[in-house]
Amino acid sequence: MWPYPKVVAHRGGGTLAPENTLAALRCGLKHGYRAVEFDVMLSRDGVPILMHDAVFGRTVRGVGKVSDFTAEELTAMDAGSWLGEQFAGERICTYRQALDFCRQNDIWMNVEIKPAEGFEVETGRIVAQLTEECFAHEVEEHVASADGAWADPALPLFSSFSFEALRAAQVAAPDIPRGFLTDTIENDWQQRLQELDAVALHTNHKYLSPIQAQAVKQAGYGLFCYTVNTPNRAAEILGWGVDGFCTDRIDLISAE
Ligand code: G3P
Ligand code: MG
């Protein structure tokens, strides 16, 4: 059985707040969400920060690669004003800040490891190490009472489109569970999950069929979808056996 929340705020607060910032996490919480997805990549000096795009321009002004800047430089950058003047001054936040906020507010995390090209292994390893450090007590309790492959909701769930990043996370923190992200479900999906000892498949609901959903569930895996933005579509895929999904519309879809 899926031990995690069913509805998850995408990139912190969906489209209501600047993605992957503390403002987004606060916004999700304000809307009653106690479950969040966000994207993590590394700064030049190896500090995990919340960021979706590998290059500047969309949410943070500028040009060039995010991974060419240090954490000190990145955390001084405005990641809010692109969405509205009311968010001006909202900074890029570190993964450590997001972890602390979520722990303080009892928010479950789906941590999407989003490595810059060429940094897959390093990103997976560092994100996993920091997470394990923060959740050392929960990991210990989980190991003592482990029930099959499923983790308890006291632990976050890693996900990534990068097999290499997830593999590195698995090596660094084997007891923190993993979900493999794939836009479309390919023929080798089950082999990929087995290789990663993953608990779930995360996929784009737009390309998912009821037959595929059934196959994933019958194989004993969790099935998580992104990014579902209408209550009708949410009801439809949940009816196919999908366990959980993330949404940009935390104002339309109530957290449960
Ligand atoms: O983790 C689900 C979803 O966030 C994956 O796509 O591009 O929004 O990170 P993206
Ligand atoms: Mg994501």
Side-chain angles (χ1 to χ4, degrees):
M1 216 195 68
W2 181 252
Y4 305 117
K6 190 162 70 183
V7 194
V8 175
H10 186 226
R11 303 186 194 174
T15 42
L16 301 195
E19 65 184 53
N20 290 318
T21 64
L22 290 176
L25 297 177
R26 282 194 293 271
C27 179
L29 189 60
K30 203 175 99 193
H31 281 76
Y33 274 67
R34 289 292 177 112
V36 72
E37 183 268 359
F38 51 72
D39 309 295
V40 183
M41 69 176 62
L42 293 185
S43 65
R44 192 180 82 203
D45 49 340
V47 177
I49 54 137
L50 268 55
M51 181 59 65
H52 182 276
D53 298 4
V55 293
F56 295 116
R58 186 176 62 88
T59 64
V60 177
R61 275 194 204 108
V63 287
K65 291 181 187 172
V66 174
S67 58
D68 282 344
F69 290 79
T70 64
E72 195 181 343
E73 291 166 334
L74 291 168
T75 53
M77 294 180 187
D78 183 316
S81 46
W82 68 278
L83 193 64
E85 271 316 298
Q86 70 273 33
F87 298 113
E90 185 67 34
R91 309 285 176 185
I92 293 178
C93 94
T94 64
Y95 177 42
R96 164 71 76 171
Q97 286 175 304
L99 267 172
D100 289 345
F101 183 89
C102 289
R103 290 201 55 113
Q104 279 156 16
N105 292 287
D106 198 21
I107 297 170
W108 178 78
M109 293 176 291
N110 169 202
V111 179
E112 185 189 336
I113 305 170
K114 200 83 145 175
E117 211 183 324
F119 295 93
E120 289 81 2
V121 170
E122 201 180 346
T123 310
R125 176 177 58 78
I126 291 176
V127 171
Q129 281 170 342
L130 179 55
T131 310
E132 179 144 286
E133 208 179 288
C134 280
F135 282 85
H137 176 68
E138 287 83 355
V139 168
E140 205 177 301
E141 294 224 311
H142 169 67
V143 171
S145 67
D147 174 18
W150 286 102
D152 58 60
L155 288 174
L157 176 64
F158 292 139
S159 60
S160 188
F161 289 105
S162 165
F163 183 88
E164 289 71 27
L166 277 182
R167 172 68 93 194
Q170 178 187 10
V171 171
D175 297 310
I176 299 182
R178 295 157 296 283
F180 183 57
L181 263 165
T182 179
D183 214 28
T184 54
I185 300 178
E186 305 301 330
N187 289 338
D188 64 348
W189 68 269
Q190 200 161 352
Q191 193 190 329
R192 304 294 258 176
L193 292 187
Q194 279 166 2
E195 283 166 357
L196 291 166
D197 192 20
V199 299
L201 186 70
H202 296 219
T203 196
N204 192 329
H205 76 98
K206 287 183 188 161
Y207 312 121
L208 179 69
S209 72
I211 288 171
Q212 287 174 322
Q214 198 182 18
V216 175
K217 292 312 301 168
Q218 271 177 1
Y221 292 104
L223 180 57
F224 185 84
C225 281
Y226 60 91
T227 304
V228 181
N229 290 333
T230 65
N232 280 351
R233 181 61 174 164
E236 184 175 32
I237 61 167
L238 290 172
W240 296 351
V242 168
D243 295 296
F245 62 88
C246 59
T247 182
D248 283 329
R249 295 305 305 268
I250 61 173
D251 51 337
L252 281 184
I253 298 178
S254 66
E256 287 164 339

PDB file of all heavy atoms in Angstrom, residues 54-82:
ATOM      1  N   ALA A  54      18.444  24.198 -15.591  1.00  0.00           N
ATOM      2  CA  ALA A  54      19.915  24.176 -15.525  1.00  0.00           C
ATOM      3  C   ALA A  54      20.516  25.526 -15.895  1.00  0.00           C
ATOM      4  O   ALA A  54      21.660  25.814 -15.555  1.00  0.00           O
ATOM      5  CB  ALA A  54      20.445  23.088 -16.455  1.00  0.00           C
ATOM      6  N   VAL A  55      19.747  26.344 -16.603  1.00  0.00           N
ATOM      7  CA  VAL A  55      20.266  27.653 -17.034  1.00  0.00           C
ATOM      8  C   VAL A  55      19.369  28.779 -16.525  1.00  0.00           C
ATOM      9  O   VAL A  55      18.173  28.580 -16.275  1.00  0.00           O
ATOM     10  CB  VAL A  55      20.365  27.741 -18.584  1.00  0.00           C
ATOM     11  CG1 VAL A  55      21.417  26.796 -19.108  1.00  0.00           C
ATOM     12  CG2 VAL A  55      19.015  27.468 -19.243  1.00  0.00           C
ATOM     13  N   PHE A  56      19.948  29.956 -16.406  1.00  0.00           N
ATOM     14  CA  PHE A  56      19.187  31.132 -15.964  1.00  0.00           C
ATOM     15  C   PHE A  56      18.293  31.646 -17.093  1.00  0.00           C
ATOM     16  O   PHE A  56      18.505  31.333 -18.252  1.00  0.00           O
ATOM     17  CB  PHE A  56      20.142  32.245 -15.539  1.00  0.00           C
ATOM     18  CG  PHE A  56      20.961  31.893 -14.339  1.00  0.00           C
ATOM     19  CD1 PHE A  56      22.338  31.782 -14.429  1.00  0.00           C
ATOM     20  CD2 PHE A  56      20.349  31.662 -13.113  1.00  0.00           C
ATOM     21  CE1 PHE A  56      23.098  31.452 -13.321  1.00  0.00           C
ATOM     22  CE2 PHE A  56      21.106  31.326 -12.000  1.00  0.00           C
ATOM     23  CZ  PHE A  56      22.480  31.219 -12.107  1.00  0.00           C
ATOM     24  N   GLY A  57      17.317  32.443 -16.718  1.00  0.00           N
ATOM     25  CA  GLY A  57      16.501  33.107 -17.727  1.00  0.00           C
ATOM     26  C   GLY A  57      15.016  33.028 -17.461  1.00  0.00           C
ATOM     27  O   GLY A  57      14.292  33.990 -17.673  1.00  0.00           O
ATOM     28  N   ARG A  58      14.547  31.892 -17.010  1.00  0.00           N
ATOM     29  CA  ARG A  58      13.097  31.761 -16.805  1.00  0.00           C
ATOM     30  C   ARG A  58      12.676  32.272 -15.420  1.00  0.00           C
ATOM     31  O   ARG A  58      11.869  33.186 -15.328  1.00  0.00           O
ATOM     32  CB  ARG A  58      12.652  30.305 -17.004  1.00  0.00           C
ATOM     33  CG  ARG A  58      11.136  30.134 -16.959  1.00  0.00           C
ATOM     34  CD  ARG A  58      10.747  28.683 -17.270  1.00  0.00           C
ATOM     35  NE  ARG A  58      11.274  27.745 -16.295  1.00  0.00           N
ATOM     36  CZ  ARG A  58      10.663  27.406 -15.165  1.00  0.00           C
ATOM     37  NH1 ARG A  58       9.479  27.917 -14.869  1.00  0.00           N
ATOM     38  NH2 ARG A  58      11.212  26.550 -14.322  1.00  0.00           N
ATOM     39  N   THR A  59      13.215  31.693 -14.364  1.00  0.00           N
ATOM     40  CA  THR A  59      12.796  32.111 -13.013  1.00  0.00           C
ATOM     41  C   THR A  59      13.819  33.021 -12.326  1.00  0.00           C
ATOM     42  O   THR A  59      13.482  33.701 -11.370  1.00  0.00           O
ATOM     43  CB  THR A  59      12.551  30.887 -12.102  1.00  0.00           C
ATOM     44  OG1 THR A  59      13.786  30.183 -11.935  1.00  0.00           O
ATOM     45  CG2 THR A  59      11.505  29.960 -12.680  1.00  0.00           C
ATOM     46  N   VAL A  60      15.029  32.951 -12.791  1.00  0.00           N
ATOM     47  CA  VAL A  60      16.077  33.820 -12.237  1.00  0.00           C
ATOM     48  C   VAL A  60      16.697  34.567 -13.412  1.00  0.00           C
ATOM     49  O   VAL A  60      17.069  33.935 -14.407  1.00  0.00           O
ATOM     50  CB  VAL A  60      17.159  32.989 -11.498  1.00  0.00           C
ATOM     51  CG1 VAL A  60      18.278  33.889 -10.988  1.00  0.00           C
ATOM     52  CG2 VAL A  60      16.536  32.215 -10.340  1.00  0.00           C
ATOM     53  N   ARG A  61      16.747  35.887 -13.288  1.00  0.00           N
ATOM     54  CA  ARG A  61      17.309  36.674 -14.402  1.00  0.00           C
ATOM     55  C   ARG A  61      18.772  36.340 -14.644  1.00  0.00           C
ATOM     56  O   ARG A  61      19.496  36.023 -13.709  1.00  0.00           O
ATOM     57  CB  ARG A  61      17.194  38.168 -14.085  1.00  0.00           C
ATOM     58  CG  ARG A  61      15.847  38.717 -14.462  1.00  0.00           C
ATOM     59  CD  ARG A  61      15.850  40.238 -14.460  1.00  0.00           C
ATOM     60  NE  ARG A  61      14.474  40.664 -14.251  1.00  0.00           N
ATOM     61  CZ  ARG A  61      14.024  41.202 -13.122  1.00  0.00           C
ATOM     62  NH1 ARG A  61      14.837  41.396 -12.120  1.00  0.00           N
ATOM     63  NH2 ARG A  61      12.754  41.523 -13.014  1.00  0.00           N
ATOM     64  N   GLY A  62      19.168  36.422 -15.905  1.00  0.00           N
ATOM     65  CA  GLY A  62      20.582  36.210 -16.217  1.00  0.00           C
ATOM     66  C   GLY A  62      20.763  35.209 -17.335  1.00  0.00           C
ATOM     67  O   GLY A  62      19.779  34.702 -17.892  1.00  0.00           O
ATOM     68  N   VAL A  63      22.009  34.936 -17.621  1.00  0.00           N
ATOM     69  CA  VAL A  63      22.334  33.942 -18.645  1.00  0.00           C
ATOM     70  C   VAL A  63      23.398  33.005 -18.080  1.00  0.00           C
ATOM     71  O   VAL A  63      24.077  33.334 -17.122  1.00  0.00           O
ATOM     72  CB  VAL A  63      22.875  34.596 -19.952  1.00  0.00           C
ATOM     73  CG1 VAL A  63      21.783  35.276 -20.740  1.00  0.00           C
ATOM     74  CG2 VAL A  63      24.024  35.564 -19.645  1.00  0.00           C
ATOM     75  N   GLY A  64      23.512  31.856 -18.687  1.00  0.00           N
ATOM     76  CA  GLY A  64      24.547  30.914 -18.267  1.00  0.00           C
ATOM     77  C   GLY A  64      23.997  29.793 -17.409  1.00  0.00           C
ATOM     78  O   GLY A  64      22.789  29.693 -17.171  1.00  0.00           O
ATOM     79  N   LYS A  65      24.914  28.953 -16.967  1.00  0.00           N
ATOM     80  CA  LYS A  65      24.526  27.748 -16.224  1.00  0.00           C
ATOM     81  C   LYS A  65      24.474  28.004 -14.721  1.00  0.00           C
ATOM     82  O   LYS A  65      25.401  28.604 -14.161  1.00  0.00           O
ATOM     83  CB  LYS A  65      25.566  26.645 -16.462  1.00  0.00           C
ATOM     84  CG  LYS A  65      25.575  26.088 -17.860  1.00  0.00           C
ATOM     85  CD  LYS A  65      26.646  24.991 -17.918  1.00  0.00           C
ATOM     86  CE  LYS A  65      26.831  24.493 -19.330  1.00  0.00           C
ATOM     87  NZ  LYS A  65      27.979  23.581 -19.421  1.00  0.00           N
ATOM     88  N   VAL A  66      23.460  27.483 -14.078  1.00  0.00           N
ATOM     89  CA  VAL A  66      23.332  27.580 -12.621  1.00  0.00           C
ATOM     90  C   VAL A  66      24.543  26.920 -11.949  1.00  0.00           C
ATOM     91  O   VAL A  66      25.081  27.443 -10.969  1.00  0.00           O
ATOM     92  CB  VAL A  66      22.012  26.898 -12.176  1.00  0.00           C
ATOM     93  CG1 VAL A  66      21.899  26.829 -10.666  1.00  0.00           C
ATOM     94  CG2 VAL A  66      20.818  27.610 -12.792  1.00  0.00           C
ATOM     95  N   SER A  67      24.996  25.819 -12.516  1.00  0.00           N
ATOM     96  CA  SER A  67      26.085  25.048 -11.889  1.00  0.00           C
ATOM     97  C   SER A  67      27.452  25.723 -12.003  1.00  0.00           C
ATOM     98  O   SER A  67      28.440  25.193 -11.506  1.00  0.00           O
ATOM     99  CB  SER A  67      26.140  23.640 -12.490  1.00  0.00           C
ATOM    100  OG  SER A  67      26.328  23.727 -13.885  1.00  0.00           O
ATOM    101  N   ASP A  68      27.492  26.886 -12.643  1.00  0.00           N
ATOM    102  CA  ASP A  68      28.755  27.635 -12.706  1.00  0.00           C
ATOM    103  C   ASP A  68      28.885  28.619 -11.542  1.00  0.00           C
ATOM    104  O   ASP A  68      29.889  29.321 -11.437  1.00  0.00           O
ATOM    105  CB  ASP A  68      28.852  28.417 -14.028  1.00  0.00           C
ATOM    106  CG  ASP A  68      29.236  27.520 -15.192  1.00  0.00           C
ATOM    107  OD1 ASP A  68      29.715  26.396 -14.929  1.00  0.00           O
ATOM    108  OD2 ASP A  68      29.036  27.927 -16.340  1.00  0.00           O
ATOM    109  N   PHE A  69      27.870  28.674 -10.670  1.00  0.00           N
ATOM    110  CA  PHE A  69      27.865  29.660  -9.579  1.00  0.00           C
ATOM    111  C   PHE A  69      27.921  28.978  -8.219  1.00  0.00           C
ATOM    112  O   PHE A  69      27.390  27.880  -8.041  1.00  0.00           O
ATOM    113  CB  PHE A  69      26.620  30.544  -9.681  1.00  0.00           C
ATOM    114  CG  PHE A  69      26.669  31.471 -10.868  1.00  0.00           C
ATOM    115  CD1 PHE A  69      26.372  31.015 -12.139  1.00  0.00           C
ATOM    116  CD2 PHE A  69      27.091  32.795 -10.710  1.00  0.00           C
ATOM    117  CE1 PHE A  69      26.449  31.855 -13.245  1.00  0.00           C
ATOM    118  CE2 PHE A  69      27.177  33.646 -11.810  1.00  0.00           C
ATOM    119  CZ  PHE A  69      26.859  33.174 -13.081  1.00  0.00           C
ATOM    120  N   THR A  70      28.554  29.662  -7.284  1.00  0.00           N
ATOM    121  CA  THR A  70      28.657  29.103  -5.937  1.00  0.00           C
ATOM    122  C   THR A  70      27.337  29.296  -5.191  1.00  0.00           C
ATOM    123  O   THR A  70      26.496  30.119  -5.578  1.00  0.00           O
ATOM    124  CB  THR A  70      29.761  29.816  -5.127  1.00  0.00           C
ATOM    125  OG1 THR A  70      29.365  31.186  -4.954  1.00  0.00           O
ATOM    126  CG2 THR A  70      31.111  29.735  -5.811  1.00  0.00           C
ATOM    127  N   ALA A  71      27.196  28.574  -4.094  1.00  0.00           N
ATOM    128  CA  ALA A  71      25.981  28.682  -3.282  1.00  0.00           C
ATOM    129  C   ALA A  71      25.825  30.107  -2.755  1.00  0.00           C
ATOM    130  O   ALA A  71      24.708  30.639  -2.691  1.00  0.00           O
ATOM    131  CB  ALA A  71      26.047  27.688  -2.126  1.00  0.00           C
ATOM    132  N   GLU A  72      26.937  30.714  -2.392  1.00  0.00           N
ATOM    133  CA  GLU A  72      26.867  32.085  -1.875  1.00  0.00           C
ATOM    134  C   GLU A  72      26.317  33.029  -2.951  1.00  0.00           C
ATOM    135  O   GLU A  72      25.469  33.881  -2.679  1.00  0.00           O
ATOM    136  CB  GLU A  72      28.256  32.529  -1.419  1.00  0.00           C
ATOM    137  CG  GLU A  72      28.201  33.768  -0.558  1.00  0.00           C
ATOM    138  CD  GLU A  72      29.589  34.227  -0.119  1.00  0.00           C
ATOM    139  OE1 GLU A  72      30.541  33.427  -0.202  1.00  0.00           O
ATOM    140  OE2 GLU A  72      29.699  35.384   0.297  1.00  0.00           O
ATOM    141  N   GLU A  73      26.776  32.840  -4.166  1.00  0.00           N
ATOM    142  CA  GLU A  73      26.278  33.675  -5.269  1.00  0.00           C
ATOM    143  C   GLU A  73      24.811  33.369  -5.572  1.00  0.00           C
ATOM    144  O   GLU A  73      23.997  34.286  -5.744  1.00  0.00           O
ATOM    145  CB  GLU A  73      27.133  33.435  -6.527  1.00  0.00           C
ATOM    146  CG  GLU A  73      28.546  33.983  -6.404  1.00  0.00           C
ATOM    147  CD  GLU A  73      29.496  33.462  -7.481  1.00  0.00           C
ATOM    148  OE1 GLU A  73      29.276  32.356  -8.033  1.00  0.00           O
ATOM    149  OE2 GLU A  73      30.483  34.153  -7.741  1.00  0.00           O
ATOM    150  N   LEU A  74      24.475  32.089  -5.598  1.00  0.00           N
ATOM    151  CA  LEU A  74      23.109  31.710  -5.963  1.00  0.00           C
ATOM    152  C   LEU A  74      22.086  32.181  -4.931  1.00  0.00           C
ATOM    153  O   LEU A  74      21.010  32.680  -5.287  1.00  0.00           O
ATOM    154  CB  LEU A  74      23.015  30.182  -6.138  1.00  0.00           C
ATOM    155  CG  LEU A  74      23.750  29.612  -7.356  1.00  0.00           C
ATOM    156  CD1 LEU A  74      23.839  28.097  -7.278  1.00  0.00           C
ATOM    157  CD2 LEU A  74      23.049  30.036  -8.643  1.00  0.00           C
ATOM    158  N   THR A  75      22.415  32.019  -3.659  1.00  0.00           N
ATOM    159  CA  THR A  75      21.435  32.367  -2.624  1.00  0.00           C
ATOM    160  C   THR A  75      21.250  33.880  -2.466  1.00  0.00           C
ATOM    161  O   THR A  75      20.398  34.325  -1.703  1.00  0.00           O
ATOM    162  CB  THR A  75      21.806  31.727  -1.261  1.00  0.00           C
ATOM    163  OG1 THR A  75      23.152  32.076  -0.944  1.00  0.00           O
ATOM    164  CG2 THR A  75      21.648  30.218  -1.304  1.00  0.00           C
ATOM    165  N   ALA A  76      22.053  34.642  -3.213  1.00  0.00           N
ATOM    166  CA  ALA A  76      21.844  36.094  -3.222  1.00  0.00           C
ATOM    167  C   ALA A  76      20.938  36.502  -4.393  1.00  0.00           C
ATOM    168  O   ALA A  76      20.563  37.665  -4.522  1.00  0.00           O
ATOM    169  CB  ALA A  76      23.181  36.808  -3.324  1.00  0.00           C
ATOM    170  N   MET A  77      20.579  35.540  -5.232  1.00  0.00           N
ATOM    171  CA  MET A  77      19.812  35.868  -6.449  1.00  0.00           C
ATOM    172  C   MET A  77      18.310  35.846  -6.208  1.00  0.00           C
ATOM    173  O   MET A  77      17.798  35.012  -5.457  1.00  0.00           O
ATOM    174  CB  MET A  77      20.152  34.866  -7.566  1.00  0.00           C
ATOM    175  CG  MET A  77      21.581  34.978  -8.039  1.00  0.00           C
ATOM    176  SD  MET A  77      21.901  33.756  -9.341  1.00  0.00           S
ATOM    177  CE  MET A  77      23.663  33.961  -9.538  1.00  0.00           C
ATOM    178  N   ASP A  78      17.625  36.736  -6.898  1.00  0.00           N
ATOM    179  CA  ASP A  78      16.166  36.858  -6.795  1.00  0.00           C
ATOM    180  C   ASP A  78      15.487  35.762  -7.621  1.00  0.00           C
ATOM    181  O   ASP A  78      15.697  35.679  -8.832  1.00  0.00           O
ATOM    182  CB  ASP A  78      15.771  38.246  -7.321  1.00  0.00           C
ATOM    183  CG  ASP A  78      14.287  38.512  -7.204  1.00  0.00           C
ATOM    184  OD1 ASP A  78      13.475  37.615  -7.539  1.00  0.00           O
ATOM    185  OD2 ASP A  78      13.919  39.614  -6.786  1.00  0.00           O
ATOM    186  N   ALA A  79      14.690  34.947  -6.946  1.00  0.00           N
ATOM    187  CA  ALA A  79      13.984  33.863  -7.639  1.00  0.00           C
ATOM    188  C   ALA A  79      12.482  34.074  -7.572  1.00  0.00           C
ATOM    189  O   ALA A  79      11.694  33.141  -7.803  1.00  0.00           O
ATOM    190  CB  ALA A  79      14.351  32.524  -7.001  1.00  0.00           C
ATOM    191  N   GLY A  80      12.074  35.313  -7.220  1.00  0.00           N
ATOM    192  CA  GLY A  80      10.650  35.560  -7.009  1.00  0.00           C
ATOM    193  C   GLY A  80      10.001  36.548  -7.946  1.00  0.00           C
ATOM    194  O   GLY A  80       8.838  36.377  -8.318  1.00  0.00           O
ATOM    195  N   SER A  81      10.749  37.575  -8.357  1.00  0.00           N
ATOM    196  CA  SER A  81      10.067  38.673  -9.052  1.00  0.00           C
ATOM    197  C   SER A  81       9.548  38.290 -10.434  1.00  0.00           C
ATOM    198  O   SER A  81       8.659  38.947 -10.960  1.00  0.00           O
ATOM    199  CB  SER A  81      10.932  39.929  -9.118  1.00  0.00           C
ATOM    200  OG  SER A  81      12.209  39.611  -9.511  1.00  0.00           O
ATOM    201  N   TRP A  82      10.065  37.201 -11.014  1.00  0.00           N
ATOM    202  CA  TRP A  82       9.543  36.759 -12.322  1.00  0.00           C
ATOM    203  C   TRP A  82       8.034  36.478 -12.243  1.00  0.00           C
ATOM    204  O   TRP A  82       7.317  36.658 -13.224  1.00  0.00           O
ATOM    205  CB  TRP A  82      10.277  35.496 -12.805  1.00  0.00           C
ATOM    206  CG  TRP A  82       9.992  34.267 -11.980  1.00  0.00           C
ATOM    207  CD1 TRP A  82      10.588  33.930 -10.805  1.00  0.00           C
ATOM    208  CD2 TRP A  82       9.034  33.253 -12.253  1.00  0.00           C
ATOM    209  NE1 TRP A  82      10.064  32.749 -10.315  1.00  0.00           N
ATOM    210  CE2 TRP A  82       9.106  32.313 -11.200  1.00  0.00           C
ATOM    211  CE3 TRP A  82       8.119  33.027 -13.298  1.00  0.00           C
ATOM    212  CZ2 TRP A  82       8.290  31.170 -11.152  1.00  0.00           C
ATOM    213  CZ3 TRP A  82       7.308  31.882 -13.253  1.00  0.00           C
ATOM    214  CH2 TRP A  82       7.405  30.975 -12.191  1.00  0.00           C
TER     215      TRP A  82
END
